[in-house]
Amino acid sequence: MLEIRNLHARAGEHEILRGIDLTLKPGEVHAIMGPNGSGKSTLAQVLAGRETYAVTAGEARYLGRDLLEMKPEERSREGLFLAFQYPVEIPGVSNMYFLRAALNAARKQQGLEELDAADFLARVRDKIRLLGMEESLLQRSVNEGFSGGEKKRNEIFQMAVLEPKLAVLDETDSGLDIDALKVVAQGVNALRDPERGILLVTHYQRLLNYIVPDYVHVLSNGRIVRSGGKELALELEEKGYGWLETAAVA
Amino acid sequence: MSTETISQPARAEEIPAAAAARRYLERFAAPRAGAAAPAWLRARREQAMDRFAARGFPSQRQEGWRHTSLAPIVQTEFSFAEAAAPPAPALLRQLERLPLAGLGCPRAVLLNGRFAPEWSRLEGLPAGLRVTPLAHAWREVSAAEAHWARLATSERHGLIALNTALAEDGLLIEAAPDADLREPLLVIYASAASRPLAQFPRALVLAGRGARLALIELFVTLDGEGHFTDAATEIRLDENAEVDHYKIAHESLSALHFGAIEARLERDARYRTTSVLLGGRLTRNETGACLAGAGADSRLLGLYAAAGRQHMDNFTRLDHAHPHGSSREYYKGILDGESAGVFSGRIIVRPGAQRTDAIQSNKNLLLSESASLRAAEPQLEIYADDVRCTHGATVGQLDPEALFYLRTRGLEADAARRLLTYAFANEILTQIEIPRLRQALENELFARWTGTAAGAQANAPA
């Protein structure tokens, strides 16, 4: 469902992605690991359509379409979801309104009827519980005054409500304590589905104890330098990222 | 030292009254309709007219007026409303259609500056609330003589002097001691005329000791272009009284509007005033509060949303005269098109007003490159040493991070921009404590910025 070929992207003069190749099929969970500055988050943002990055070469196809031609909102409505590393605070817009607008945008795309406030609430109740969140969170402004853990949970909650076809999770585990991590992982695991692809971008192997990936890719200096099964994550954990730099140069 | 005396800006460089003011002087000299005014009122009016004759309209060279030109007012030959014939039913229907007019609470309507009994709904007012047309109160109610034109005084500048001299009518609103009047009273100032008309409505609000009053003042245009509203509202809060006041300026886009809202708070009184400026081609809204007793608490909130060529000037003045006073000012502006916003806030902390706690904040959102905001340097005059006074002003655009975030959740770029604009305003709207008013304004602004009417749910309970 996602095919990335030789993808290059830069921010200003600085080339960050230097030829990414990746294929993800429905039902698969891929993890992308790598040290700081390797390009992990840039890849996630480029997939979601962030305009501050210029794609200079290569291509990305999503469900057979040219992903890079689509606006961020089109990608979303076609089922691509990015869980932000740093979710944005939006004072003055309630979580409830925000999420309902998002869900209705997707439903409209699918030719479904838009949900009113009552139907919406009925639909999201289970998912609030799944993420161990308070219902009052719906009335609060989007992410405003949320703790780091609450923000990350809110991202996964949005994902659970929107039921995307392809979810890209950008360092969703960063900054979470072990209890919060388990809750978030449980939320993600509940969404594992033969039809759904998940791309986990993470700095820490720890997450992969709770969300077991089918494939692990190691990103270094804008390229995928190794790919393997879940055991690759363990190897990384043992050796650290240091050996990669040497391996990449060699 | 008298707490009502405030040093005046230099008088030099005002627009010469002679040319511009002749019409007003003639109007003042002409015989007035209705019963003869009592001597004290004639004296106050004459004093005000003398002030105006001597000083004319404020000019841009005067302190506090640098960014606002009154030329459109000075250069227009306005006509004046004659004694009211019963208003046309078509106009009443128009009034009834205004979303904000139908709040379902008691209302007093002034048409072209005169009380319109046919349009008012003052039957069955709650106990402790008395609403009297000023034309009557001036003659019959001793409180009018004691308090009228004592807060919004001619000393301040020519526009208030002009209102004081030419006000034909208005309202006296009295809340009896300890009366609980949380169900709001709505006052509508409507303008309707075939020629550009000047009107001088005036309200005097007296909240007795321990009374609690909610009051909404709504300014609208029913008919006619380019009218000039020169309004003044005075609010006195006795000890421990609480007043929640709203001003909604929603006149036509060609209207010229000046309004002064002057309050005086006695010991432990709590005052909140919220100004929402939406209409008008040129608006100057002045909000002043004097904390004249210990432990008084004053909150000034403002939201101004301008587009096209609208010009909106907000001027605030907080006068802390006694210890342990607290004041908050939160003003937000949204400026689109070629509009201009102005904010200037003055805070005075008088000798002995220890433990004063004053916070002033002004935030602005510029939606277009041609829109502008002029924020004057905050004018802090602090003559006490144990005080906290903070201020901050910002001018910015929509947050690109938030825009991207919304788009990744499926919202069109344009819809995302509008939603964020609404959200910026919503920080003020959510503080409105009258649910029907908040809803009506949320709907209005949500529709303005999102093109849909489904906005009320944005922050409404599920």
Side-chain angles (χ1 to χ4, degrees):
Chain A
M1 67 195 313
L2 179 67
E3 290 162 65
I4 303 173
R5 295 281 166 263
N6 190 34
L7 186 67
H8 287 65
R10 55 172 65 229
E13 291 302 296
H14 187 54
E15 184 161 56
I16 303 174
L17 300 184
R18 306 175 353 140
I20 303 273
D21 290 277
L22 179 75
T23 300
L24 189 150
K25 299 198 177 80
E28 293 177 351
V29 175
H30 290 233
I32 295 194
M33 303 187 68
N36 287 329
S38 58
K40 303 187 300 285
S41 279
T42 300
L43 175 61
Q45 301 257 332
V46 166
L47 292 177
R50 171 81 87 180
E51 283 151 355
T52 44
Y53 299 104
V55 173
T56 49
E59 64 167 355
R61 302 195 71 78
Y62 170 63
L63 301 176
R65 289 181 63 184
D66 181 352
L67 181 69
L68 303 176
E69 284 295 304
M70 295 160 75
K71 292 188 225 163
E73 54 268 37
E74 283 178 73
R75 301 180 195 200
S76 167
R77 286 183 220 151
E78 292 294 344
L80 190 151
F81 179 88
L82 171 66
F84 279 55
Q85 183 181 2
Y86 302 110
V88 184
E89 297 192 8
I90 309 182
V93 178
S94 74
N95 231 353
M96 167 99 171
Y97 181 85
F98 167 67
L99 205 45
R100 191 156 65 87
L103 183 59
N104 280 336
R107 288 177 66 86
K108 209 169 150 189
Q109 182 78 14
Q110 296 156 23
L112 297 171
E113 211 169 296
E114 297 190 15
L115 296 177
D116 66 20
D119 290 343
F120 173 79
L121 196 62
R123 246 180 103 101
V124 300
R125 273 215 174 94
D126 290 350
K127 287 164 183 170
I128 293 177
R129 270 196 292 276
L130 174 70
L131 274 302
M133 304 193 319
E134 297 288 328
E135 215 170 281
S136 63
L137 174 134
L138 285 175
Q139 313 310 334
R140 289 168 61 186
S141 288
V142 178
N143 293 324
E144 190 188 28
F146 286 28
S147 69
E150 283 176 323
K151 284 182 183 173
K152 296 296 177 80
R153 262 190 245 188
N154 199 26
E155 292 292 287
I156 302 306
F157 169 57
Q158 290 171 33
M159 178 172 104
V161 171
L162 295 175
E163 301 180 336
K165 296 189 180 97
L166 172 63
V168 179
L169 275 56
D170 188 5
E171 301 208 20
T172 297
D173 53 324
S174 297
L176 293 185
D177 64 32
I178 192 72
D179 293 332
L181 179 67
K182 283 179 185 169
V183 171
V184 164
Q186 187 192 336
V188 175
N189 285 328
L191 286 165
R192 286 185 82 151
D193 183 289
E195 299 300 312
R196 181 172 291 133
I198 296 177
L199 186 61
L200 294 173
V201 172
T202 180
H203 188 76
Y204 304 106
Q205 183 272 337
R206 185 183 67 159
L207 175 70
L208 308 183
N209 293 336
Y210 299 95
I211 306 172
V212 181
D214 301 304
Y215 299 95
V216 174
H217 309 277
V218 181
L219 196 61
S220 176
N221 205 12
R223 288 195 188 92
I224 289 176
V225 291
R226 275 195 67 182
S227 295
K230 62 187 179 220
E231 62 288 345
L232 177 56
L234 295 169
E235 192 183 335
L236 273 176
E237 179 74 0
E238 231 166 80
K239 297 185 182 170
Y241 287 120
W243 65 275
L244 281 177
E245 318 291 319
T246 19
V249 172
Chain B
M1 176 190 287
S2 158
T3 52
E4 284 181 19
T5 316
I6 289 175
S7 62
Q8 290 299 309
R11 284 221 211 150
E13 311 293 348
E14 292 175 349
I15 295 169
R22 193 172 299 124
R23 277 187 83 72
Y24 300 102
L25 293 165
E26 284 167 11
R27 171 70 180 177
F28 188 72
R32 293 198 188 217
W40 68 265
L41 178 60
R42 286 202 306 272
R44 266 177 230 178
R45 283 173 169 169
E46 264 158 36
Q47 193 187 18
M49 204 65 209
D50 289 346
R51 282 278 170 189
F52 178 73
R55 299 175 55 186
F57 291 99
S59 91
Q60 281 185 274
R61 277 174 278 189
Q62 202 169 314
E63 190 188 333
W65 287 90
R66 195 146 66 93
H67 303 300
T68 295
S69 164
L70 295 179
I73 293 172
V74 175
Q75 290 160 6
T76 307
E77 297 212 334
F78 297 102
S79 58
F80 301 95
E82 298 311 328
L91 287 179
L92 177 58
R93 282 196 296 276
Q94 205 179 326
L95 181 87
E96 300 289 3
R97 276 199 299 270
L98 300 173
L100 292 166
L103 293 176
C105 49
R107 77 177 186 212
V109 181
L110 274 80
L111 178 61
N112 297 336
R114 282 197 176 83
F115 181 63
E118 307 86 346
W119 291 10
S120 300
R121 304 274 179 272
L122 294 171
E123 314 77 37
L125 286 182
L129 177 61
R130 196 154 65 142
V131 181
T132 317
L134 268 181
H136 180 74
W138 278 325
R139 283 181 279 114
E140 307 292 336
V141 184
S142 60
E145 178 178 355
H147 298 302
W148 190 76
R150 294 297 197 206
L151 299 179
T153 66
S154 308
E155 305 301 317
R156 295 216 197 283
H157 56 67
L159 286 165
I160 298 179
L162 201 56
N163 171 287
T164 308
L166 293 178
E168 300 274 356
D169 200 354
L171 295 171
L172 170 65
I173 297 163
E174 295 168 284
D178 294 321
D180 186 352
L181 304 167
R182 266 175 282 185
E183 171 71 14
L185 172 70
L186 171 64
V187 176
I188 302 178
Y189 302 97
S191 174
S194 49
R195 285 173 302 161
L197 179 109
Q199 58 169 348
F200 305 91
R202 184 105 188 183
L204 172 61
V205 181
L206 304 174
R209 187 186 171 112
R212 184 165 179 180
L213 174 69
L215 175 66
I216 304 166
E217 293 187 288
L218 170 65
F219 293 82
V220 295
T221 307
L222 295 180
D223 189 19
E225 295 288 296
H227 65 87
F228 168 35
T229 298
D230 181 358
T233 298
E234 297 170 289
I235 304 175
R236 300 188 80 99
L237 295 88
D238 278 352
E239 283 185 24
N240 208 29
E242 180 171 334
V243 171
D244 192 14
H245 170 260
Y246 299 88
K247 167 176 178 166
I248 317 296
H250 205 322
E251 291 168 320
S252 79
L253 291 176
S254 60
L256 309 166
H257 180 97
F258 168 79
I261 306 160
E262 292 289 340
R264 180 184 165 96
L265 289 70
E266 299 301 335
R267 185 188 174 98
D268 297 324
R270 298 169 303 284
Y271 171 59
R272 209 168 67 137
T273 180
T274 304
S275 288
V276 180
L277 311 183
L278 300 171
R281 164 181 164 210
L282 168 64
T283 300
R284 162 89 169 192
N285 191 48
E286 296 187 358
T287 309
C290 175
L291 282 67
D297 182 289
S298 178
R299 273 152 211 273
L300 275 47
L301 302 172
L303 175 65
Y304 45 104
R309 308 198 67 156
Q310 286 180 284
H311 179 104
M312 293 183 177
D313 179 343
N314 305 271
F315 177 87
T316 69
R317 190 190 60 259
L318 274 159
D319 185 353
H320 287 264
H322 282 266
H324 297 285
S326 150
S327 68
R328 297 286 180 272
E329 290 177 77
Y330 299 114
Y331 276 70
K332 296 189 100 174
I334 298 169
L335 304 164
D336 201 353
E338 294 168 67
S339 69
V342 182
F343 178 83
S344 47
R346 191 167 164 205
I347 299 176
I348 304 151
V349 181
R350 295 186 183 272
Q354 301 295 10
R355 301 299 175 94
T356 286
D357 177 10
I359 295 177
Q360 180 189 93
S361 151
N362 173 230
K363 295 179 185 168
N364 295 279
L365 183 58
L366 298 189
L367 295 177
S368 94
E369 290 191 356
S370 315
S372 68
L373 182 280
R374 310 275 180 153
E377 284 295 303
Q379 303 161 54
L380 306 180
E381 299 168 36
I382 302 177
Y383 307 104
D385 52 16
D386 184 12
V387 303
R388 180 175 78 149
C389 254
T390 64
H391 58 84
T394 62
V395 180
Q397 284 83 38
L398 292 173
D399 175 12
E401 294 287 319
L403 275 175
F404 179 62
Y405 192 59
L406 290 173
R407 292 180 72 190
T408 66
R409 298 301 183 256
L411 275 76
E412 292 283 351
D414 196 43
R417 270 190 289 273
R418 287 157 181 254
L419 181 60
L420 290 177
T421 304
Y422 167 78
F424 181 85
N426 211 15
E427 275 188 275
I428 297 291
L429 297 179
T430 51
Q431 296 185 59
I432 293 176
E433 286 187 356
I434 300 171
R436 282 164 292 172
L437 177 64
R438 183 175 64 231
Q439 199 90 74
L441 283 170
E442 280 181 355
N443 286 342
E444 161 112 18
L445 289 175
F446 199 83
R448 176 187 284 218
W449 288 313
T450 66
T452 77
Q457 292 91 350
N459 251 328

